[in-house]
Each structure stands twice: as C-alpha cells, then as structure tokens.
Amino acid sequence: MAVLRSVLAIAAVLASGVWCMTPHAYSFDDHESTTTWHLMNISSGDITKVPFGDDISEVVWVGETDTSILYTSTKSPVSSGISLWTADLADPKVKGTRVANLPAPYSGLKAVRTSEGDINFLLNCLAYENGTAYNEDLAEVSYTTGRLYDSNYVRHWDTYLTQQRYAVFSGTLTGSGSSYDLDGEMNNLLKGIEAPVTRPECPVQPFGGSGDYDLSPDGSTVVFLTKAPELPKANYTASYLYLVPHDGSSVAEQLNGPGTKAPANAKGASGAPVFSLDSKSIAYYQQDGVSYESDRSKMYVADVASGKISPVAENWDASAAVIKWSNNCNDLYVTSDYLASTRLFIIPADAGANFKPTNMTDITSVSDYYILPGGNALVTANAVWSSFNVYIASPNGEASYLHQANEEDPELEGLGPDDVDFIWYEGTLGDQQQAIVVYPTDFDPSQVYDFIFYVHGGPQGYTGNVWSSRWNLKTWADQGYVLVGPNPTGSTSYGQSLTDRIRGKWGSWPYEDLLKAYNHACNNLPYINCSNAVAAGASYGGYMMNWIQGHPLGRNFKALVSHDGVTTTFSDYGTEELWFIQHDFNGTIWDNRETYRLWDPLRFAKNFATPQFVVHNDLDYRLPVGEGIAMFNALQELGVPSRFLNFPDEGHWVLNQENSLFWHQEIYNWINYWTGKIGSLDDNAITQ
Ligand SMILES: *[C@@H]1O[C@H](CO)[C@@H](O)[C@H](O)[C@H]1NC(C)=O
Ligand SMILES: *[C@@H]1O[C@H](CO)[C@@H](O)[C@H](O)[C@H]1NC(C)=O
Ligand SMILES: *[C@@H]1O[C@H](CO)[C@@H](O)[C@H](O)[C@H]1NC(C)=O
Ligand SMILES: *[C@@H]1O[C@H](CO)[C@@H](O)[C@H](O)[C@H]1NC(C)=O
Ligand SMILES: *[C@@H]1O[C@H](CO)[C@@H](O)[C@H](O)[C@H]1NC(C)=O
Ligand SMILES: *[C@@H]1O[C@H](CO)[C@@H](O)[C@H](O)[C@H]1NC(C)=O
C-alpha cells in the first residue's frame, strides 16, 4: 500500500455545472499528505485539477459571477493566522486576490452575496472569554501547567477544557469584482448570551463544524447551535438554536427549547439548522430526551418572523442527520441511517405526522449532497468497496454515476458491490436482525474460509456499508476471511425501539443476539469455517470482546481483539460523558449499582482463556486507558496469551495514517497467527 486516499466531503457549493472536491492522499513512501483541488464537470463527469497551492483550506462559490469564489488560505503575516482571497475559476491561472488577513486560525467558511453586492461571511474560532478570537501562538504563556476546576466535565474526547470556547464570527467584505475590503471588525455572535451554568460554544465540541451554524441566503441573519446554558455539560445533551443579526447588532435570541414556541416534548439535542432559500424558514432536528444522546432526532421547521415551530413527519421512526431545502422551499432533503447505511430521503416541509418517506438512494452511504436546480441531488457516497462515489440521484430513485473510486483508482482495482452481502436472522426477542457479510478478494463460495466475527461500537451504532480507514472491513476480509458484522440490540438504523432496548441490558440481549447471529452464520454459510474463527470489536465492541472472553461464546474463537473497550463498568465514572452511562445503566453507580455489577466483564475474569490482543490509547478520555491496561493485566496474570498496543498520541480512534497502518499490521499479525496462517508472531513487541 503506497498511497492511502480518503475524500471526506464535498468542499464547495455548485455553480454553473462545475464543482470542487478535495482528495487527501497520504504517501507511506514519503510519509506526507497532499491535498489537491479538482473541478468536476457534472454533465460529463470530467475532472480537472485547479492550479491551487497546498495552502488553500476552504472554498465557497460566491461573488459577481457563476465562477467567482472566496477561499481561505494558511498564508498569513501572523503565525497560525489565515487570509481570505477572491478568485475566478474561469481564469485558467486562478490568480487569487488577498482581501483580508485574520490573525487567528479561523475555519468553517460560509458566505453569501447580498443585494448590495457585499459578501457577508461566517467563520468560527476559539475565543477568549472577552470574545476576542484566540491564537495559541500569540497567547501569553503561563509558568505553570496546572489546571484547576470547580465543576466536572474537565476533559472531553481527547481534550482538557481550557478557558477558551469556540464561537461563530461574522464579517462583511465590501467592494466588487476581485477588489474587496473587510468592512470593520469581525463580530463574535455568541457574545452577551446569558449562561447560568454552561457558557455558549459553537461549533459544539468535539464533532461540530460549520453544520452547527447557517447564514440566511439574504445575508441578514445567522442561526447557530449551543449547549443548553442552564444545564451542566456532564449530565445533559440538550442544545438549542439561537438567531442573531449577521452584523451582531443585537444579542442572539433563543429559537427553540424551554420558553420558546417549540413543542413541549422537544427538549434535547438540536442540530443541522438550515435556512430556506427565501430566508423565511429554518429546518433543523431536535431530540426529546435531555440526557440521551441516541434519542430519535425529529425534524422541525421554524418560521423566522414569528418563531412558530412545526414538526415534520413526526412519527417517522428514523433520525434526521443533515437537512437541505429544495430550491422552491417546498421540500426537505434529509439524510438518515436506514438498514446499515446513510440514505437520502425527500419530505414535504409541511408533511403531516404520519408521512413515511422512502429512501431515494441505494445501499451505499451518503457522505454529502447538494440540491440541483430541478430537484435532483448531487451525492457523494462511500461503501465497503469504494472510498468515494459521485452520482446524481433523482427523487424517483434513479442514480446516474459520475465517478466511482473503485473503478477509477488503481489502488482500489477489483473492488465492487459483490464484495458485500446482507443476511437476516432471528434475534433473541423473535425480531428480524441484520448482519453485513464481507468477502475476501476472489471469493469462491465453494471454498471454505476462516471467519471474523465483528461487533460494532456505540452500542448505539451499526456495522454497515461504509468505507473507513480505521476499521476497513475489506482489508480484514482480504487477510483470507469472511467477515460477519451483526447489528444486535442497541443498533441504530432499524427504528428507535431496537436502539432503546439496550438500556440496562449491556451484557444480556446483545450477547444473546450475537450468539444467534454466530449460530446462524455457522449453520447457514457453508463457506465459513467456524472452527477457525476470531472476534474483534472497538468501544462497545471492545466491551463485548471482554464480556465474551468471560462467557461460553469466547471459547469458540481462536483469538479476540478488543480496542478501547470497557473492562470494568465501575470505572466508567472515569468518563466525562455521565449522560451516556447514566442512560445506558439506568441510573448512577450508587443508585443502580446492581446493573453496573451485573454487566461488569471483570467479574468473569476467572473464565478468561482465549488469546486476546488489547489496544488502548492514552488520549481516550471517553474511555480512559486504565481499562485496557486492566484487561491486559488480568489476561497476563491468568497466563492467557495476550498483547497490548498503545498509542500515546491517539484517542478513541486511531487517526494518524502511520499509526493506522501499524494498528492494522499488528492486529492482522495476531489473528493470522492464531488461525494458523503464519507460523510465529512478529518480534515487534517491547521486551521486559
Ligand atoms: C461540461 O461538459 C459538457 C458535456 O460534455 C460540455 O458541453 C460543457 O462545455 C462542459 N462545461 C465546462 C464548464 O467545461
Ligand atoms: C481579550 O483578552 C485577551 C487576552 O487577555 C487580550 O489579548 C485581548 O486584547 C482582549 N480583548 C479585548 C477586546 O479586550
Ligand atoms: C446529574 O445527573 C445525576 C443522575 O441523574 C443526578 O444525580 C445529579 O444530581 C445530576 N447533577 C446535576 C448537577 O444536575
Ligand atoms: C432503498 O433501500 C432498499 C433497501 O436497502 C434498497 O433495496 C432500494 O434499492 C433502495 N432504493 C433506492 C431508490 O435505491
Ligand atoms: C430504570 O429504572 C427505573 C427505576 O429507577 C425503572 O422503573 C425502569 O424500569 C428501569 N428501566 C430499565 C430499562 O431497566
Ligand atoms: C477448519 O478449521 C479447523 C481448525 O483449524 C481445521 O482443522 C479444518 O481443517 C478447517 N476446515 C476446513 C474445511 O478448512
């Protein structure tokens, strides 16, 4: 593997039939990433390179002509600052003009051209408590590294809380053609919000981005998301939307949540706010539960002038993710996870409670999309067999492909839809459950293959038809296995009741469902050898490996692999996401001790016997590293063959490409050794 390519998202909005994307390629020979910008002609599918340097971070289509763009560059007179540039893509040299220098690392560019010809834009950046954008390189350095806290949630995901918070900033460029000037200062639009408990922050960390805010197409108004100011962050997931004039001339006002015109049931996490093209309405989603991150995300439309809020297709048993308006403002296009992949749906904005949309896209997973004039959607998608597909989807379900990485990229040659199947079987409660099956290259169903049993994380998640550089299911299968990834109790994309059933049941129903999936696969798939099988999983899947290790199913595997999983439920109080464990274990560790005790894998340590590879990373604050070390200690003390892999610079996910390669190589070395494909383990382990 010389080059690892991943294309994350559509990078810029469409204009006059051309459109931009950014493939990031990593070379394991040069140990370097490169970013190259391309234009795709969406009539012909032709791709050409844009003569941009490596310094261009984000591009939006905005300006006087259809081919005008505004972009951000890391070129700056100030260390870690950025600059804003205008250019025209009709110019073959794309000679940009610098229009502003911003002395902090802003990102998340959104912009519109107003009727006066100005460009109103938004960016986000960490900010000091006084509202000024924060640039670490220019900040005063303290002589102590001590950090002192009076309330919990001191760290989250991979970062300790500091005094700075992310904020949305607005600015206006006045001028025309290529000559624009920043008019006045950047405005911090979060300033002045009353926050009795939790200070405002947008994008919401750690996963929020420019999808947490939107600028009205007329340039006048901004909507943004922030966590509930009256609730503590460790206990609650609730977040609300706020409206503010783009010029920051008045303090932002709350649009939904308590004390607004939103329905009384809507109290939880909000997301995906987006203005209609006439700037009159905002579509968004909100969950009901104030402390349950996996509750159903229901759609709403808010009338900007009156603040009136109406539910959309209220009884649809699915969660909205990304929402966009049709150009005529009548319909909403929404992505939602359905049967183990992210699909696109179309729903009238005034749809009644019982409206049931059907998926307009296939079994690949939608990464991003844009609505074309006429109502088709330009979609980017991925699948187990392809990192990046581009196609035009019509509301009647037709798809016209422009690009499929597996057919164009020599590194993915030979991959295709035949690499994957889906199977259904009966779960513990008599319901039908689904698993994905991934085949190795040149799979021949008359042959027999070793077996990988893969359990997903969450537990509110699914193993689906997605491309990943973290768990790339196809490279697992390509070691010479058939991989089966079941979606047991707790899984999403099959309706809310399967997801919600996990509460208080971590070790029971999902385990029994997995046993059913295992038996179904062993009894019905003649091409797998269940006598030569391994099991693997991360996060909740890692917990399940640790649980299986102490239970009878564990004895059916030659080896186990657990990545950043729970070893003892009582140490879950070392996480900052108390809302999560207090939901899933139905109470605190003192009020509902029995549930924590029941599903604690370490309680069954005396049964541990199957060779296990344990991965746990230092920056995993969600599930601290002591969990992996405790598991490894138990295995070693019991004399069970085991290896421990740690990355000091990775969190819950291994993201660095070289680390990902090492992770895959060492795990494959482990499973291939225990299934007898290689005669000895490598000698890469650090000795005593
Ligand atoms: C895009 O492709 C179409 C069809 O081949 C062609 O007619 C058109 O000129 C191309 N557009 C641009 C901007 O190159
Ligand atoms: C905000 O605080 C920072 C850090 O103390 C300081 O550098 C900056 O000048 C302050 N901004 C204003 C507007 O007072
Ligand atoms: C956090 O939630 C727990 C469990 O619901 C509760 O006992 C505790 O009082 C809550 N703390 C705050 C500050 O709301
Ligand atoms: C909708 O999803 C089903 C189930 O995966 C699939 O069979 C069907 O082809 C999809 N519809 C479209 C229009 O792709
Ligand atoms: C959660 O706990 C409450 C009592 O605190 C109980 O009534 C409820 O049945 C429990 N739910 C589950 C799913 O265990
Ligand atoms: C299945 O695996 C077992 C255990 O490794 C092995 O003895 C047997 O030969 C395998 N069966 C086939 C058909 O490969």
Side-chain angles (χ1 to χ4, degrees):
M1 186 166 35
V3 176
L4 187 74
R5 277 174 228 275
S6 64
V7 184
L8 300 176
I10 291 178
V13 190
L14 163 93
S16 71
V18 276
W19 164 77
C20 256
M21 62 186 193
T22 50
H24 306 284
Y26 185 83
S27 162
F28 286 105
D29 299 327
D30 304 334
H31 310 286
E32 262 178 19
S33 306
T34 47
T35 301
T36 327
W37 289 82
H38 295 82
L39 279 174
M40 177 183 277
N41 179 331
I42 61 162
S43 306
S44 62
D46 291 346
I47 295 175
T48 49
K49 271 194 187 174
V50 184
F52 275 160
D54 241 7
D55 59 303
I56 313 300
S57 319
E58 299 178 69
V59 180
V60 296
W61 298 93
V62 68
E64 276 184 350
T65 72
D66 274 357
T67 46
S68 305
I69 56 169
L70 177 71
Y71 63 83
T72 59
S73 159
T74 52
K75 277 186 195 153
S76 169
V78 168
S79 172
S80 293
I82 68 156
S83 47
L84 276 172
W85 298 64
T86 54
D88 199 310
L89 284 170
D91 165 10
K93 291 205 178 116
V94 196
K95 224 168 69 54
T97 307
R98 189 190 299 243
V99 294
N101 286 318
L102 303 174
Y106 291 92
S107 66
L109 179 64
K110 290 198 167 180
V112 300
R113 187 161 183 265
T114 66
S115 54
E116 292 83 52
D118 297 341
I119 295 175
N120 284 3
F121 66 91
L122 299 176
L123 284 163
N124 75 76
C125 189
L126 260 183
Y128 288 106
E129 235 177 327
N130 65 14
T132 302
Y134 172 76
N135 182 341
E136 192 181 1
D137 291 358
L138 307 183
E140 223 173 279
V141 181
S142 168
Y143 288 100
T144 171
T145 56
R147 356 184 215 220
L148 182 66
Y149 300 90
D150 276 332
S151 52
N152 58 350
Y153 206 82
V154 302
R155 58 184 194 174
H156 186 227
W157 194 250
D158 60 358
T159 307
Y160 273 82
L161 250 70
T162 64
Q163 199 57 15
Q164 294 82 40
R165 294 288 177 278
Y166 279 88
V168 182
F169 288 81
S170 67
T172 295
L173 298 169
T174 49
S176 62
S178 65
S179 95
Y180 285 91
D181 280 309
L182 183 61
D183 184 26
E185 298 284 304
M186 298 284 281
N187 312 297
N188 180 331
L189 299 179
L190 273 59
K191 262 181 97 166
I193 295 175
E194 276 186 43
V197 179
T198 289
R199 285 162 52 203
E201 176 159 52
C202 183
V204 174
Q205 297 304 300
F207 301 116
S210 59
D212 284 1
Y213 51 88
D214 198 29
L215 174 56
S216 63
D218 65 9
S220 68
T221 314
V222 175
V223 61
F224 65 84
L225 178 68
T226 179
K227 280 209 141 190
E230 77 283 15
L231 298 173
K233 285 207 264 198
N235 271 31
Y236 295 96
T237 51
S239 58
Y240 313 134
L241 298 172
Y242 284 73
L243 282 177
V244 61
H246 174 266
D247 61 8
S249 54
S250 60
V251 174
E253 282 182 32
Q254 198 176 325
L255 177 69
N256 67 338
T260 66
K261 292 179 183 161
N265 59 289
K267 295 178 172 162
S270 307
V274 58
F275 276 97
S276 56
L277 280 190
D278 60 12
S279 300
K280 288 182 179 159
S281 308
I282 294 167
Y284 67 95
Y285 69 70
Q286 190 172 16
Q287 302 183 345
D288 286 356
V290 291
S291 54
Y292 179 27
E293 64 180 353
S294 301
D295 206 356
R296 181 149 73 86
S297 298
K298 301 175 179 176
M299 274 182 296
Y300 295 93
V301 168
D303 180 69
V304 175
S306 68
K308 185 173 163 279
I309 292 177
S310 318
V312 181
E314 216 179 328
N315 298 335
W316 183 34
D317 191 11
S319 274
V322 176
I323 306 171
K324 301 196 178 185
W325 287 84
S326 63
N327 294 335
N328 62 13
C329 306
N330 292 336
D331 297 309
L332 301 175
Y333 291 68
V334 56
T335 55
S336 179
D337 292 343
Y338 172 60
L339 306 186
S341 49
T342 304
R343 321 291 184 104
L344 189 58
F345 295 82
I346 178 167
I347 303 174
D350 61 357
N354 293 323
F355 183 83
K356 294 239 172 347
T358 51
N359 54 299
M360 62 183 267
T361 59
D362 61 18
I363 61 163
T364 62
S365 282
V366 174
S367 323
D368 206 352
Y369 63 101
Y370 281 93
I371 310 307
L372 300 171
N376 288 341
L378 178 67
V379 176
T380 60
N382 65 90
V384 162
W385 62 84
S386 184
S387 58
F388 187 61
N389 291 347
V390 186
Y391 63 95
I392 293 173
S394 76
N396 68 16
E398 280 161 32
S400 132
Y401 273 84
L402 294 165
H403 179 87
Q404 298 184 73
N406 57 309
E407 291 186 0
E408 324 249 349
D409 185 342
E411 311 259 343
L412 304 187
E413 197 183 329
L415 303 189
D418 290 346
D419 294 333
V420 168
D421 258 327
F422 290 92
I423 55 170
W424 290 89
Y425 50 91
E426 198 183 273
T428 307
L429 302 186
D431 53 330
Q432 284 296 302
Q433 295 186 355
Q434 195 187 34
I436 191 170
V437 183
V438 183
Y439 303 114
T441 299
D442 298 328
F443 172 71
D444 172 357
S446 69
Q447 302 290 308
V448 174
Y449 297 84
D450 293 341
F451 178 31
I452 294 172
F453 192 64
Y454 171 68
V455 182
H456 67 70
Q460 294 91 348
Y462 58 84
T463 300
N465 192 16
V466 292
W467 177 269
S468 175
S469 57
R470 293 189 289 115
W471 287 77
N472 189 292
L473 301 185
K474 181 64 178 137
T475 65
W476 282 73
D478 279 349
Q479 302 300 307
Y481 301 82
V482 169
L483 179 145
V484 173
N487 288 318
T489 292
S491 297
T492 53
S493 84
Y494 301 92
Q496 197 59 32
S497 72
L498 185 71
T499 309
D500 289 351
R501 237 154 65 188
I502 189 73
R503 186 172 212 181
K505 297 281 185 294
W506 266 39
S508 60
W509 287 338
Y511 177 78
E512 289 155 30
D513 289 339
L514 289 168
L515 206 52
K516 291 248 183 189
Y518 173 87
N519 286 328
H520 176 89
C522 291
N523 296 334
N524 295 282
L525 308 180
Y527 43 79
I528 62 174
N529 185 355
C530 279
S531 304
N532 219 27
V534 297
S539 197
Y540 176 80
Y543 162 86
M544 189 43 79
M545 293 305 116
N546 299 342
W547 183 256
I548 283 175
Q549 178 64 281
H551 288 80
L553 181 57
R555 303 297 79 79
N556 293 11
F557 299 108
K558 289 282 172 68
L560 301 173
V561 178
S562 61
H563 171 109
D564 290 38
V566 173
T567 298
T568 169
T569 47
F570 292 102
S571 359
D572 273 353
Y573 261 57
T575 186
E576 65 294 327
E577 295 188 350
L578 295 182
W579 71 73
F580 172 71
I581 53 165
Q582 287 171 182
H583 172 272
D584 276 28
F585 287 86
N586 197 21
T588 61
I589 213 150
W590 47 95
D591 288 334
N592 199 359
R593 190 177 165 80
E594 184 55 14
T595 306
Y596 290 84
R597 196 192 66 85
L598 269 179
W599 312 129
D600 186 354
L602 213 51
R603 203 156 63 88
F604 301 90
K606 68 174 188 324
N607 302 336
F608 290 0
T610 302
Q612 182 167 347
F613 192 97
V614 181
V615 188
H616 218 119
N617 304 324
D618 283 358
L619 299 184
D620 189 352
Y621 299 158
R622 184 160 181 266
L623 222 157
V625 66
E627 294 293 281
I629 293 175
M631 191 67 199
F632 185 55
N633 279 344
L635 292 162
Q636 289 277 311
E637 293 299 299
L638 289 158
V640 180
S642 40
R643 266 189 163 183
F644 180 67
L645 173 62
N646 166 264
F647 294 100
D649 53 347
E650 300 282 2
H652 204 54
W653 299 340
V654 173
L655 298 175
N656 173 287
Q657 290 90 343
E658 305 278 347
N659 289 345
S660 176
L661 184 60
F662 190 69
W663 183 96
H664 280 93
Q665 280 169 345
E666 288 307 320
I667 290 173
Y668 296 158
N669 180 250
W670 182 258
I671 63 174
N672 291 341
Y673 172 69
W674 290 103
T675 54
K677 292 184 174 52
I678 54 176
S680 61
L681 283 175
D682 64 31
D683 58 4
N684 291 340
I686 295 166
T687 52
Q688 289 275 318

